[in-house]
Amino acid sequence: MTAVAQRVHLAWVTLEDFSGHALILRGHALSAETIAKVAAEEHITRPKTVEVFWNEHPRVKWCERIDGFGCDENGDWHRHWSAVKPNANESTHFTVMWEADR
């Protein structure tokens, strides 16, 4: 999926080298033009991206039932992603984008 990225969500993410608010885009191998366009729309001057394999849970109310921990929005309808093993299923391909100097 290299044509156009769909902005999925702005969310708090925790990765190996970053923790904070980031954009979650659907797809891997996004073009430089797509990255630049999304970054400009979101006022990100120095975008950093990483490709991840996540399962999307688009409508969750009690997230503690997914991972045993929950989050600040536990009890309200919201969205979650959980890591899965690398695979060819495009529904698990996401790109996370954030400001590089954070």
Side-chain angles (χ1 to χ4, degrees), residues 8-92:
V8 174
H9 204 65
L10 173 65
W12 185 270
V13 299
T14 302
L15 301 169
E16 189 173 312
D17 61 345
F18 173 77
S19 184
H21 285 99
L23 294 173
I24 301 174
L25 308 167
R26 189 170 299 283
H28 280 179
L30 302 179
S31 69
E33 295 81 21
T34 299
I35 301 269
K37 180 181 178 206
V38 172
E41 289 172 356
E42 298 297 326
H43 309 288
I44 297 174
T45 56
R46 295 177 47 213
K48 180 162 181 167
T49 61
V50 64
E51 293 179 347
V52 295
F53 294 90
W54 285 346
N55 187 26
E56 181 179 13
H57 308 277
R59 189 166 159 83
V60 175
K61 187 167 188 178
W62 303 105
C63 53
E64 65 191 11
R65 295 178 184 164
I66 297 173
D67 59 14
F69 298 103
C71 72
D72 291 344
E73 294 187 42
N74 197 43
D76 294 324
W77 289 109
H78 61 291
R79 181 179 306 241
H80 267 270
W81 294 264
S82 55
V84 295
K85 292 180 181 179
N87 61 75
N89 183 348
E90 288 191 2
S91 70
T92 65

